[in-house]
Amino acid sequence: MSAANAKQVEYWNGRVGERWARRHLRIDENLQQITPRVLEFAGARVGETALDVGCGAGTTALALAEAVAPGGVTAIDISRPMLEVAKARAVEAEADIAFHLADASDFAFAPSFDLVFSRFGVMFFADPVAAFANLRRALKPGGRLRFVCWRTVAENRWASAPFEAAKHLLPPQEPSDPFAPGPYAFADAARVEKILRDAGFRDVTIAVLDCSFYMGADADEAAQEALNVGPLAYAARDLGDAARAKARDIVAAMMGQFATPAGITPPAACWLVGAES
Ligand SMILES: C[S@@+](CC[C@H](N)C(=O)[O-])C[C@H]1O[C@@H](n2cnc3c(N)ncnc32)[C@H](O)[C@@H]1O
């Protein structure tokens, strides 16, 4: 593993990784609009070989395995708790998936994949150019890269609206480097394009994906969810019970603006990123 990614290894194997592993079905509900769009964009075909980078609890690896069978899928992640869930699900589904608990930025892949794919798993590399150069080497000649990542946190109202509503209850937040490894590190499309070109990819395409993020059936459930996932959840992680309850009430009061017949579904803003090896 690259020592430069040690902080991410610690993060995804600690409280956060455990919580993601426990809540993986809920995360799939959150992302129910996004997942089919990125899988369609990836266009996995029967007989292909695919690599799922930062595969988490395995939802997209399983979907890819179904799409490429009898081809095969390899899935890699640094998070032991999430990978354990993914492995158990693959056994249950009798899916042909090879798992690696390893850092995708420097893992010695054979150049064997038609598709390198990720759902929100490639924004965490300390050295993104080196990491994507390594992922490019994993592709066969003519292979493709396809992933989805977040645009700015401001455009992602599911993330920014709860945070803004409860900001006055939170401890002072350190100003953060917008390009530091993290969920919004790829918000700047020009930067993403340069990273991929510098890593040796060609024909880079970056397309807007505007959809929504499912927060819950009603405002109370959505407010609870905002304390489980996204920037408010992170900033409120050490709040006491009284302040958490207050934050939940304030967030619930503003969630009504995002109500639809399908539940509370604030806007989600993503990039669909493609490139050729
Ligand atoms: C936001 S989660 C997304 C997980 C999964 N793709 C999903 O959509 O549910 C990011 C994932 O990337 C993984 N990750 C972060 N850095 C990584 C690295 N250098 N190599 C492999 N996986 C990494 C994390 O452990 C985590 O599972």
Side-chain angles (χ1 to χ4, degrees), residues 5 8-9 11-13 17 20 24 27-28 31 35 52-60 76-80 82-83 100 102-106 117-126 131 148 150 183:
N5 292 326
Q8 293 295 327
V9 173
Y11 182 76
W12 291 106
N13 282 282
W20 271 69
H24 67 93
I27 287 160
D28 286 342
L31 302 177
T35 306
D52 190 348
V53 180
C55 66
T59 297
T60 52
I76 185 165
D77 204 292
I78 51 173
S79 171
R80 186 184 293 277
M82 284 159 80
L83 213 59
H100 298 292
D103 183 343
S105 71
D106 63 1
F117 171 92
S118 187
R119 182 182 80 171
F120 301 119
V122 289
M123 305 87 85
F124 305 92
F125 303 128
V148 65
W150 300 113

mmCIF file of all heavy atoms in Angstrom, residues 5 8-9 11-13 17 20 24 27-28 31 35 52-60 76-80 82-83 100 102-106 117-126 131 148 150 183, ligand 1:
data_model
loop_
_atom_site.group_PDB
_atom_site.id
_atom_site.type_symbol
_atom_site.label_atom_id
_atom_site.label_comp_id
_atom_site.label_asym_id
_atom_site.label_seq_id
_atom_site.Cartn_x
_atom_site.Cartn_y
_atom_site.Cartn_z
ATOM 1 N N ASN A 5 -1.302 7.062 1.192
ATOM 2 C CA ASN A 5 -2.742 6.859 1.378
ATOM 3 C C ASN A 5 -3.085 6.318 2.766
ATOM 4 O O ASN A 5 -4.221 5.892 3.004
ATOM 5 C CB ASN A 5 -3.286 5.918 0.296
ATOM 6 C CG ASN A 5 -3.244 6.562 -1.085
ATOM 7 O OD1 ASN A 5 -3.423 7.766 -1.213
ATOM 8 N ND2 ASN A 5 -3.002 5.770 -2.118
ATOM 9 N N GLN A 8 -6.231 7.497 4.493
ATOM 10 C CA GLN A 8 -7.461 6.938 3.928
ATOM 11 C C GLN A 8 -7.660 5.496 4.422
ATOM 12 O O GLN A 8 -8.787 5.076 4.695
ATOM 13 C CB GLN A 8 -7.428 6.972 2.393
ATOM 14 C CG GLN A 8 -7.452 8.369 1.818
ATOM 15 C CD GLN A 8 -8.751 9.110 2.120
ATOM 16 O OE1 GLN A 8 -9.820 8.520 2.191
ATOM 17 N NE2 GLN A 8 -8.650 10.409 2.329
ATOM 18 N N VAL A 9 -6.557 4.758 4.519
ATOM 19 C CA VAL A 9 -6.653 3.376 5.012
ATOM 20 C C VAL A 9 -7.229 3.391 6.428
ATOM 21 O O VAL A 9 -8.154 2.629 6.759
ATOM 22 C CB VAL A 9 -5.267 2.677 4.980
ATOM 23 C CG1 VAL A 9 -5.338 1.315 5.653
ATOM 24 C CG2 VAL A 9 -4.764 2.553 3.541
ATOM 25 N N TYR A 11 -9.001 5.809 7.810
ATOM 26 C CA TYR A 11 -10.373 6.333 7.770
ATOM 27 C C TYR A 11 -11.376 5.248 7.370
ATOM 28 O O TYR A 11 -12.391 5.041 8.036
ATOM 29 C CB TYR A 11 -10.409 7.492 6.769
ATOM 30 C CG TYR A 11 -11.734 8.191 6.641
ATOM 31 C CD1 TYR A 11 -12.168 9.085 7.612
ATOM 32 C CD2 TYR A 11 -12.549 7.990 5.530
ATOM 33 C CE1 TYR A 11 -13.384 9.745 7.487
ATOM 34 C CE2 TYR A 11 -13.761 8.648 5.405
ATOM 35 C CZ TYR A 11 -14.173 9.516 6.381
ATOM 36 O OH TYR A 11 -15.379 10.164 6.255
ATOM 37 N N TRP A 12 -11.067 4.514 6.297
ATOM 38 C CA TRP A 12 -12.031 3.543 5.756
ATOM 39 C C TRP A 12 -12.022 2.209 6.507
ATOM 40 O O TRP A 12 -12.827 1.325 6.220
ATOM 41 C CB TRP A 12 -11.792 3.326 4.259
ATOM 42 C CG TRP A 12 -12.156 4.542 3.454
ATOM 43 C CD1 TRP A 12 -11.275 5.419 2.868
ATOM 44 C CD2 TRP A 12 -13.464 5.056 3.164
ATOM 45 N NE1 TRP A 12 -11.969 6.432 2.233
ATOM 46 C CE2 TRP A 12 -13.308 6.227 2.401
ATOM 47 C CE3 TRP A 12 -14.759 4.633 3.488
ATOM 48 C CZ2 TRP A 12 -14.394 6.989 1.947
ATOM 49 C CZ3 TRP A 12 -15.842 5.382 3.036
ATOM 50 C CH2 TRP A 12 -15.657 6.540 2.278
ATOM 51 N N ASN A 13 -11.060 2.067 7.466
ATOM 52 C CA ASN A 13 -11.080 0.878 8.313
ATOM 53 C C ASN A 13 -11.553 1.199 9.724
ATOM 54 O O ASN A 13 -11.643 0.308 10.568
ATOM 55 C CB ASN A 13 -9.687 0.232 8.362
ATOM 56 C CG ASN A 13 -9.421 -0.564 7.094
ATOM 57 O OD1 ASN A 13 -9.918 -1.676 6.929
ATOM 58 N ND2 ASN A 13 -8.676 0.028 6.169
ATOM 59 N N GLY A 17 -15.729 3.242 7.927
ATOM 60 C CA GLY A 17 -15.804 2.000 7.150
ATOM 61 C C GLY A 17 -16.786 1.012 7.764
ATOM 62 O O GLY A 17 -17.569 0.362 7.058
ATOM 63 N N TRP A 20 -20.307 2.293 6.993
ATOM 64 C CA TRP A 20 -20.668 2.039 5.592
ATOM 65 C C TRP A 20 -20.995 0.563 5.394
ATOM 66 O O TRP A 20 -21.939 0.220 4.685
ATOM 67 C CB TRP A 20 -19.526 2.424 4.655
ATOM 68 C CG TRP A 20 -19.560 3.839 4.209
ATOM 69 C CD1 TRP A 20 -19.335 4.938 4.981
ATOM 70 C CD2 TRP A 20 -19.832 4.321 2.885
ATOM 71 N NE1 TRP A 20 -19.452 6.068 4.206
ATOM 72 C CE2 TRP A 20 -19.745 5.721 2.927
ATOM 73 C CE3 TRP A 20 -20.125 3.694 1.674
ATOM 74 C CZ2 TRP A 20 -19.957 6.518 1.806
ATOM 75 C CZ3 TRP A 20 -20.324 4.478 0.561
ATOM 76 C CH2 TRP A 20 -20.242 5.877 0.631
ATOM 77 N N HIS A 24 -24.838 -0.607 4.097
ATOM 78 C CA HIS A 24 -24.632 -0.641 2.650
ATOM 79 C C HIS A 24 -25.944 -0.654 1.878
ATOM 80 O O HIS A 24 -26.041 -0.056 0.799
ATOM 81 C CB HIS A 24 -23.717 -1.803 2.249
ATOM 82 C CG HIS A 24 -24.290 -3.153 2.472
ATOM 83 N ND1 HIS A 24 -24.968 -3.820 1.492
ATOM 84 C CD2 HIS A 24 -24.304 -3.952 3.546
ATOM 85 C CE1 HIS A 24 -25.367 -4.970 1.971
ATOM 86 N NE2 HIS A 24 -24.983 -5.080 3.216
ATOM 87 N N ILE A 27 -27.145 2.837 1.697
ATOM 88 C CA ILE A 27 -26.351 3.633 0.747
ATOM 89 C C ILE A 27 -26.823 3.356 -0.680
ATOM 90 O O ILE A 27 -26.946 4.273 -1.501
ATOM 91 C CB ILE A 27 -24.848 3.365 0.951
ATOM 92 C CG1 ILE A 27 -24.412 4.039 2.255
ATOM 93 C CG2 ILE A 27 -24.012 3.885 -0.220
ATOM 94 C CD1 ILE A 27 -23.152 3.531 2.850
ATOM 95 N N ASP A 28 -27.144 2.114 -0.956
ATOM 96 C CA ASP A 28 -27.693 1.802 -2.288
ATOM 97 C C ASP A 28 -29.029 2.508 -2.515
ATOM 98 O O ASP A 28 -29.326 2.935 -3.631
ATOM 99 C CB ASP A 28 -27.854 0.291 -2.463
ATOM 100 C CG ASP A 28 -26.517 -0.383 -2.663
ATOM 101 O OD1 ASP A 28 -25.541 0.313 -3.000
ATOM 102 O OD2 ASP A 28 -26.437 -1.612 -2.491
ATOM 103 N N LEU A 31 -28.358 6.062 -3.385
ATOM 104 C CA LEU A 31 -27.772 6.224 -4.731
ATOM 105 C C LEU A 31 -28.627 5.581 -5.819
ATOM 106 O O LEU A 31 -28.153 5.350 -6.928
ATOM 107 C CB LEU A 31 -26.360 5.614 -4.741
ATOM 108 C CG LEU A 31 -25.364 6.193 -3.732
ATOM 109 C CD1 LEU A 31 -24.028 5.454 -3.807
ATOM 110 C CD2 LEU A 31 -25.138 7.687 -3.976
ATOM 111 N N THR A 35 -26.816 4.914 -9.546
ATOM 112 C CA THR A 35 -26.192 3.622 -9.884
ATOM 113 C C THR A 35 -26.568 3.130 -11.289
ATOM 114 O O THR A 35 -25.653 2.785 -12.070
ATOM 115 C CB THR A 35 -26.550 2.579 -8.801
ATOM 116 O OG1 THR A 35 -26.176 3.136 -7.543
ATOM 117 C CG2 THR A 35 -25.811 1.272 -9.023
ATOM 118 N N ASP A 52 -13.476 -3.162 -10.480
ATOM 119 C CA ASP A 52 -14.239 -2.180 -9.702
ATOM 120 C C ASP A 52 -13.299 -1.595 -8.640
ATOM 121 O O ASP A 52 -12.857 -2.296 -7.729
ATOM 122 C CB ASP A 52 -15.457 -2.862 -9.056
ATOM 123 C CG ASP A 52 -16.426 -1.847 -8.439
ATOM 124 O OD1 ASP A 52 -16.066 -0.658 -8.315
ATOM 125 O OD2 ASP A 52 -17.550 -2.264 -8.081
ATOM 126 N N VAL A 53 -13.021 -0.302 -8.762
ATOM 127 C CA VAL A 53 -12.032 0.356 -7.888
ATOM 128 C C VAL A 53 -12.748 1.020 -6.708
ATOM 129 O O VAL A 53 -13.676 1.803 -6.912
ATOM 130 C CB VAL A 53 -11.239 1.415 -8.685
ATOM 131 C CG1 VAL A 53 -10.220 2.097 -7.780
ATOM 132 C CG2 VAL A 53 -10.569 0.783 -9.887
ATOM 133 N N GLY A 54 -12.277 0.722 -5.490
ATOM 134 C CA GLY A 54 -12.961 1.233 -4.299
ATOM 135 C C GLY A 54 -14.361 0.663 -4.263
ATOM 136 O O GLY A 54 -15.347 1.382 -4.127
ATOM 137 N N CYS A 55 -14.444 -0.666 -4.361
ATOM 138 C CA CYS A 55 -15.725 -1.363 -4.589
ATOM 139 C C CYS A 55 -16.656 -1.315 -3.390
ATOM 140 O O CYS A 55 -17.844 -1.629 -3.513
ATOM 141 C CB CYS A 55 -15.463 -2.818 -4.954
ATOM 142 S SG CYS A 55 -14.714 -3.761 -3.590
ATOM 143 N N GLY A 56 -16.132 -0.940 -2.206
ATOM 144 C CA GLY A 56 -16.978 -0.867 -1.022
ATOM 145 C C GLY A 56 -17.633 -2.197 -0.727
ATOM 146 O O GLY A 56 -17.006 -3.261 -0.804
ATOM 147 N N ALA A 57 -18.925 -2.154 -0.416
ATOM 148 C CA ALA A 57 -19.644 -3.365 -0.002
ATOM 149 C C ALA A 57 -20.119 -4.205 -1.187
ATOM 150 O O ALA A 57 -20.876 -5.163 -1.000
ATOM 151 C CB ALA A 57 -20.801 -2.996 0.907
ATOM 152 N N GLY A 58 -19.714 -3.845 -2.401
ATOM 153 C CA GLY A 58 -19.825 -4.788 -3.510
ATOM 154 C C GLY A 58 -21.008 -4.663 -4.453
ATOM 155 O O GLY A 58 -21.105 -5.443 -5.409
ATOM 156 N N THR A 59 -21.862 -3.668 -4.253
ATOM 157 C CA THR A 59 -23.061 -3.587 -5.103
ATOM 158 C C THR A 59 -22.719 -3.515 -6.596
ATOM 159 O O THR A 59 -23.293 -4.251 -7.412
ATOM 160 C CB THR A 59 -23.900 -2.354 -4.709
ATOM 161 O OG1 THR A 59 -24.328 -2.555 -3.373
ATOM 162 C CG2 THR A 59 -25.104 -2.189 -5.622
ATOM 163 N N THR A 60 -21.798 -2.632 -6.948
ATOM 164 C CA THR A 60 -21.523 -2.473 -8.387
ATOM 165 C C THR A 60 -20.672 -3.633 -8.911
ATOM 166 O O THR A 60 -20.814 -4.013 -10.077
ATOM 167 C CB THR A 60 -20.862 -1.111 -8.690
ATOM 168 O OG1 THR A 60 -19.729 -0.929 -7.838
ATOM 169 C CG2 THR A 60 -21.864 0.012 -8.483
ATOM 170 N N ILE A 76 -11.435 -4.185 -5.844
ATOM 171 C CA ILE A 76 -10.344 -3.833 -4.924
ATOM 172 C C ILE A 76 -10.800 -2.723 -3.989
ATOM 173 O O ILE A 76 -11.517 -1.803 -4.407
ATOM 174 C CB ILE A 76 -9.078 -3.421 -5.728
ATOM 175 C CG1 ILE A 76 -7.885 -3.174 -4.800
ATOM 176 C CG2 ILE A 76 -9.321 -2.208 -6.631
ATOM 177 C CD1 ILE A 76 -6.547 -3.132 -5.533
ATOM 178 N N ASP A 77 -10.387 -2.831 -2.737
ATOM 179 C CA ASP A 77 -10.717 -1.790 -1.760
ATOM 180 C C ASP A 77 -9.730 -1.882 -0.600
ATOM 181 O O ASP A 77 -9.220 -2.959 -0.288
ATOM 182 C CB ASP A 77 -12.155 -1.949 -1.246
ATOM 183 C CG ASP A 77 -12.721 -0.635 -0.733
ATOM 184 O OD1 ASP A 77 -12.229 -0.141 0.312
ATOM 185 O OD2 ASP A 77 -13.614 -0.075 -1.381
ATOM 186 N N ILE A 78 -9.494 -0.733 0.041
ATOM 187 C CA ILE A 78 -8.609 -0.719 1.210
ATOM 188 C C ILE A 78 -9.356 -0.976 2.506
ATOM 189 O O ILE A 78 -8.740 -1.085 3.560
ATOM 190 C CB ILE A 78 -7.874 0.647 1.330
ATOM 191 C CG1 ILE A 78 -8.881 1.801 1.256
ATOM 192 C CG2 ILE A 78 -6.788 0.788 0.277
ATOM 193 C CD1 ILE A 78 -8.285 3.173 1.521
ATOM 194 N N SER A 79 -10.701 -1.059 2.443
ATOM 195 C CA SER A 79 -11.509 -1.164 3.661
ATOM 196 C C SER A 79 -11.855 -2.620 3.965
ATOM 197 O O SER A 79 -12.664 -3.231 3.255
ATOM 198 C CB SER A 79 -12.804 -0.350 3.488
ATOM 199 O OG SER A 79 -13.677 -0.610 4.561
ATOM 200 N N ARG A 80 -11.271 -3.137 5.023
ATOM 201 C CA ARG A 80 -11.552 -4.543 5.373
ATOM 202 C C ARG A 80 -13.033 -4.770 5.702
ATOM 203 O O ARG A 80 -13.633 -5.716 5.174
ATOM 204 C CB ARG A 80 -10.657 -4.986 6.547
ATOM 205 C CG ARG A 80 -10.771 -6.451 6.898
ATOM 206 C CD ARG A 80 -9.934 -6.802 8.112
ATOM 207 N NE ARG A 80 -8.514 -6.677 7.853
ATOM 208 C CZ ARG A 80 -7.757 -7.605 7.266
ATOM 209 N NH1 ARG A 80 -8.303 -8.741 6.879
ATOM 210 N NH2 ARG A 80 -6.473 -7.411 7.072
ATOM 211 N N MET A 82 -15.729 -3.257 4.722
ATOM 212 C CA MET A 82 -16.599 -3.211 3.545
ATOM 213 C C MET A 82 -16.337 -4.396 2.626
ATOM 214 O O MET A 82 -17.263 -4.987 2.064
ATOM 215 C CB MET A 82 -16.423 -1.877 2.821
ATOM 216 C CG MET A 82 -17.158 -0.780 3.582
ATOM 217 S SD MET A 82 -16.600 0.850 3.251
ATOM 218 C CE MET A 82 -17.376 1.210 1.737
ATOM 219 N N LEU A 83 -15.052 -4.755 2.497
ATOM 220 C CA LEU A 83 -14.727 -5.877 1.616
ATOM 221 C C LEU A 83 -15.297 -7.191 2.165
ATOM 222 O O LEU A 83 -15.705 -8.070 1.389
ATOM 223 C CB LEU A 83 -13.202 -5.972 1.465
ATOM 224 C CG LEU A 83 -12.708 -6.471 0.122
ATOM 225 C CD1 LEU A 83 -13.186 -5.573 -1.012
ATOM 226 C CD2 LEU A 83 -11.200 -6.557 0.089
ATOM 227 N N HIS A 100 -9.523 -8.029 -3.751
ATOM 228 C CA HIS A 100 -8.216 -7.687 -3.188
ATOM 229 C C HIS A 100 -8.391 -6.613 -2.123
ATOM 230 O O HIS A 100 -8.965 -5.555 -2.418
ATOM 231 C CB HIS A 100 -7.283 -7.140 -4.259
ATOM 232 C CG HIS A 100 -6.981 -8.114 -5.347
ATOM 233 N ND1 HIS A 100 -6.236 -9.261 -5.137
ATOM 234 C CD2 HIS A 100 -7.332 -8.123 -6.653
ATOM 235 C CE1 HIS A 100 -6.137 -9.926 -6.273
ATOM 236 N NE2 HIS A 100 -6.796 -9.272 -7.213
ATOM 237 N N ALA A 102 -6.502 -4.080 -0.900
ATOM 238 C CA ALA A 102 -5.251 -3.449 -1.337
ATOM 239 C C ALA A 102 -5.535 -2.052 -1.870
ATOM 240 O O ALA A 102 -6.681 -1.691 -2.149
ATOM 241 C CB ALA A 102 -4.608 -4.295 -2.428
ATOM 242 N N ASP A 103 -4.441 -1.304 -2.019
ATOM 243 C CA ASP A 103 -4.498 0.069 -2.512
ATOM 244 C C ASP A 103 -4.452 0.043 -4.043
ATOM 245 O O ASP A 103 -3.477 -0.422 -4.633
ATOM 246 C CB ASP A 103 -3.288 0.811 -1.929
ATOM 247 C CG ASP A 103 -3.250 2.276 -2.299
ATOM 248 O OD1 ASP A 103 -3.939 2.685 -3.247
ATOM 249 O OD2 ASP A 103 -2.505 3.006 -1.619
ATOM 250 N N ALA A 104 -5.509 0.553 -4.669
ATOM 251 C CA ALA A 104 -5.578 0.508 -6.137
ATOM 252 C C ALA A 104 -4.513 1.391 -6.784
ATOM 253 O O ALA A 104 -4.215 1.214 -7.965
ATOM 254 C CB ALA A 104 -6.966 0.962 -6.593
ATOM 255 N N SER A 105 -3.943 2.322 -6.015
ATOM 256 C CA SER A 105 -2.992 3.260 -6.636
ATOM 257 C C SER A 105 -1.665 2.602 -6.967
ATOM 258 O O SER A 105 -0.949 3.084 -7.840
ATOM 259 C CB SER A 105 -2.771 4.480 -5.736
ATOM 260 O OG SER A 105 -2.034 4.131 -4.595
ATOM 261 N N ASP A 106 -1.328 1.513 -6.274
ATOM 262 C CA ASP A 106 -0.036 0.887 -6.596
ATOM 263 C C ASP A 106 -0.111 -0.648 -6.648
ATOM 264 O O ASP A 106 0.909 -1.318 -6.654
ATOM 265 C CB ASP A 106 1.058 1.345 -5.614
ATOM 266 C CG ASP A 106 0.764 0.927 -4.177
ATOM 267 O OD1 ASP A 106 -0.274 0.270 -3.928
ATOM 268 O OD2 ASP A 106 1.563 1.268 -3.294
ATOM 269 N N PHE A 117 -13.735 0.557 -13.619
ATOM 270 C CA PHE A 117 -14.995 1.198 -13.228
ATOM 271 C C PHE A 117 -14.901 1.680 -11.788
ATOM 272 O O PHE A 117 -14.217 1.078 -10.959
ATOM 273 C CB PHE A 117 -16.113 0.142 -13.339
ATOM 274 C CG PHE A 117 -17.436 0.591 -12.777
ATOM 275 C CD1 PHE A 117 -18.375 1.206 -13.606
ATOM 276 C CD2 PHE A 117 -17.756 0.406 -11.430
ATOM 277 C CE1 PHE A 117 -19.594 1.643 -13.088
ATOM 278 C CE2 PHE A 117 -18.968 0.841 -10.915
ATOM 279 C CZ PHE A 117 -19.893 1.459 -11.752
ATOM 280 N N SER A 118 -15.644 2.740 -11.476
ATOM 281 C CA SER A 118 -15.825 3.072 -10.060
ATOM 282 C C SER A 118 -17.083 3.910 -9.826
ATOM 283 O O SER A 118 -17.387 4.818 -10.594
ATOM 284 C CB SER A 118 -14.618 3.848 -9.510
ATOM 285 O OG SER A 118 -14.767 3.997 -8.106
ATOM 286 N N ARG A 119 -17.772 3.562 -8.743
ATOM 287 C CA ARG A 119 -18.852 4.418 -8.233
ATOM 288 C C ARG A 119 -18.294 5.113 -6.999
ATOM 289 O O ARG A 119 -18.192 4.509 -5.932
ATOM 290 C CB ARG A 119 -20.081 3.551 -7.884
ATOM 291 C CG ARG A 119 -21.280 4.350 -7.387
ATOM 292 C CD ARG A 119 -22.472 3.463 -6.991
ATOM 293 N NE ARG A 119 -22.339 2.874 -5.667
ATOM 294 C CZ ARG A 119 -23.315 2.197 -5.017
ATOM 295 N NH1 ARG A 119 -24.485 2.014 -5.612
ATOM 296 N NH2 ARG A 119 -23.101 1.701 -3.821
ATOM 297 N N PHE A 120 -17.853 6.349 -7.149
ATOM 298 C CA PHE A 120 -17.404 7.201 -6.042
ATOM 299 C C PHE A 120 -16.212 6.620 -5.268
ATOM 300 O O PHE A 120 -16.081 6.874 -4.074
ATOM 301 C CB PHE A 120 -18.550 7.485 -5.059
ATOM 302 C CG PHE A 120 -19.734 8.160 -5.685
ATOM 303 C CD1 PHE A 120 -20.987 7.550 -5.687
ATOM 304 C CD2 PHE A 120 -19.614 9.406 -6.280
ATOM 305 C CE1 PHE A 120 -22.090 8.169 -6.273
ATOM 306 C CE2 PHE A 120 -20.714 10.033 -6.869
ATOM 307 C CZ PHE A 120 -21.952 9.419 -6.863
ATOM 308 N N GLY A 121 -15.330 5.868 -5.967
ATOM 309 C CA GLY A 121 -14.204 5.258 -5.235
ATOM 310 C C GLY A 121 -12.832 5.721 -5.682
ATOM 311 O O GLY A 121 -11.836 5.134 -5.257
ATOM 312 N N VAL A 122 -12.758 6.794 -6.505
ATOM 313 C CA VAL A 122 -11.435 7.160 -7.054
ATOM 314 C C VAL A 122 -11.011 8.591 -6.700
ATOM 315 O O VAL A 122 -10.101 9.134 -7.314
ATOM 316 C CB VAL A 122 -11.406 6.975 -8.602
ATOM 317 C CG1 VAL A 122 -11.409 5.518 -8.983
ATOM 318 C CG2 VAL A 122 -12.551 7.727 -9.278
ATOM 319 N N MET A 123 -11.661 9.201 -5.703
ATOM 320 C CA MET A 123 -11.331 10.596 -5.381
ATOM 321 C C MET A 123 -10.448 10.689 -4.133
ATOM 322 O O MET A 123 -10.294 11.772 -3.560
ATOM 323 C CB MET A 123 -12.622 11.399 -5.115
ATOM 324 C CG MET A 123 -13.639 11.363 -6.226
ATOM 325 S SD MET A 123 -14.715 9.920 -6.013
ATOM 326 C CE MET A 123 -15.950 10.526 -4.895
ATOM 327 N N PHE A 124 -9.897 9.568 -3.713
ATOM 328 C CA PHE A 124 -9.230 9.514 -2.406
ATOM 329 C C PHE A 124 -7.721 9.276 -2.505
ATOM 330 O O PHE A 124 -7.076 9.003 -1.501
ATOM 331 C CB PHE A 124 -9.884 8.413 -1.541
ATOM 332 C CG PHE A 124 -11.367 8.610 -1.402
ATOM 333 C CD1 PHE A 124 -12.259 8.010 -2.278
ATOM 334 C CD2 PHE A 124 -11.872 9.431 -0.416
ATOM 335 C CE1 PHE A 124 -13.629 8.205 -2.172
ATOM 336 C CE2 PHE A 124 -13.247 9.645 -0.306
ATOM 337 C CZ PHE A 124 -14.125 9.033 -1.182
ATOM 338 N N PHE A 125 -7.168 9.346 -3.719
ATOM 339 C CA PHE A 125 -5.741 9.056 -3.903
ATOM 340 C C PHE A 125 -4.897 10.287 -3.553
ATOM 341 O O PHE A 125 -5.181 11.388 -4.031
ATOM 342 C CB PHE A 125 -5.452 8.680 -5.354
ATOM 343 C CG PHE A 125 -6.254 7.509 -5.871
ATOM 344 C CD1 PHE A 125 -6.975 7.620 -7.052
ATOM 345 C CD2 PHE A 125 -6.259 6.302 -5.197
ATOM 346 C CE1 PHE A 125 -7.707 6.545 -7.555
ATOM 347 C CE2 PHE A 125 -6.992 5.215 -5.685
ATOM 348 C CZ PHE A 125 -7.713 5.340 -6.861
ATOM 349 N N ALA A 126 -3.818 10.081 -2.781
ATOM 350 C CA ALA A 126 -2.924 11.191 -2.444
ATOM 351 C C ALA A 126 -2.228 11.700 -3.701
ATOM 352 O O ALA A 126 -2.005 12.899 -3.851
ATOM 353 C CB ALA A 126 -1.894 10.730 -1.417
ATOM 354 N N ALA A 131 -1.832 7.243 -9.416
ATOM 355 C CA ALA A 131 -2.861 6.204 -9.221
ATOM 356 C C ALA A 131 -3.563 5.883 -10.545
ATOM 357 O O ALA A 131 -3.754 4.705 -10.895
ATOM 358 C CB ALA A 131 -3.878 6.665 -8.185
ATOM 359 N N VAL A 148 -18.077 7.531 -11.823
ATOM 360 C CA VAL A 148 -18.914 8.655 -11.399
ATOM 361 C C VAL A 148 -18.275 9.262 -10.155
ATOM 362 O O VAL A 148 -17.749 8.554 -9.296
ATOM 363 C CB VAL A 148 -20.379 8.205 -11.129
ATOM 364 C CG1 VAL A 148 -20.483 7.235 -9.961
ATOM 365 C CG2 VAL A 148 -21.297 9.414 -10.894
ATOM 366 N N TRP A 150 -18.520 13.122 -7.521
ATOM 367 C CA TRP A 150 -19.365 14.285 -7.167
ATOM 368 C C TRP A 150 -18.837 15.557 -7.792
ATOM 369 O O TRP A 150 -17.622 15.744 -7.902
ATOM 370 C CB TRP A 150 -19.411 14.470 -5.641
ATOM 371 C CG TRP A 150 -19.960 13.301 -4.882
ATOM 372 C CD1 TRP A 150 -19.277 12.493 -4.021
ATOM 373 C CD2 TRP A 150 -21.313 12.821 -4.891
ATOM 374 N NE1 TRP A 150 -20.114 11.537 -3.499
ATOM 375 C CE2 TRP A 150 -21.370 11.714 -4.018
ATOM 376 C CE3 TRP A 150 -22.473 13.213 -5.555
ATOM 377 C CZ2 TRP A 150 -22.541 10.990 -3.793
ATOM 378 C CZ3 TRP A 150 -23.645 12.498 -5.330
ATOM 379 C CH2 TRP A 150 -23.671 11.407 -4.464
ATOM 380 N N PRO A 183 -14.395 13.176 -0.879
ATOM 381 C CA PRO A 183 -15.501 12.980 -1.818
ATOM 382 C C PRO A 183 -15.621 14.056 -2.902
ATOM 383 O O PRO A 183 -16.055 13.771 -4.010
ATOM 384 C CB PRO A 183 -16.745 12.964 -0.919
ATOM 385 C CG PRO A 183 -16.296 13.306 0.449
ATOM 386 C CD PRO A 183 -14.824 13.149 0.522
HETATM 387 C C1 LIG B 1 -17.324 6.655 -1.062
HETATM 388 S S1 LIG B 1 -16.838 4.989 -0.856
HETATM 389 C C2 LIG B 1 -17.609 4.218 -2.265
HETATM 390 C C3 LIG B 1 -17.716 2.734 -2.107
HETATM 391 C C4 LIG B 1 -18.473 2.014 -3.245
HETATM 392 N N1 LIG B 1 -17.832 2.213 -4.524
HETATM 393 C C5 LIG B 1 -19.911 2.459 -3.292
HETATM 394 O O1 LIG B 1 -20.288 3.168 -4.217
HETATM 395 O O2 LIG B 1 -20.658 2.098 -2.355
HETATM 396 C C6 LIG B 1 -15.150 5.055 -1.351
HETATM 397 C C7 LIG B 1 -14.443 3.729 -1.332
HETATM 398 O O3 LIG B 1 -13.143 3.872 -1.892
HETATM 399 C C8 LIG B 1 -12.251 3.075 -1.135
HETATM 400 N N2 LIG B 1 -10.875 3.564 -1.356
HETATM 401 C C9 LIG B 1 -10.360 4.772 -0.986
HETATM 402 N N3 LIG B 1 -9.071 4.854 -1.362
HETATM 403 C C10 LIG B 1 -8.763 3.687 -1.989
HETATM 404 C C11 LIG B 1 -7.579 3.165 -2.592
HETATM 405 N N4 LIG B 1 -6.443 3.866 -2.614
HETATM 406 N N5 LIG B 1 -7.628 1.918 -3.140
HETATM 407 C C12 LIG B 1 -8.779 1.180 -3.104
HETATM 408 N N6 LIG B 1 -9.921 1.630 -2.537
HETATM 409 C C13 LIG B 1 -9.917 2.860 -1.987
HETATM 410 C C14 LIG B 1 -12.755 3.229 0.287
HETATM 411 O O4 LIG B 1 -12.291 2.226 1.153
HETATM 412 C C15 LIG B 1 -14.269 3.157 0.057
HETATM 413 O O5 LIG B 1 -14.741 1.835 0.084
#
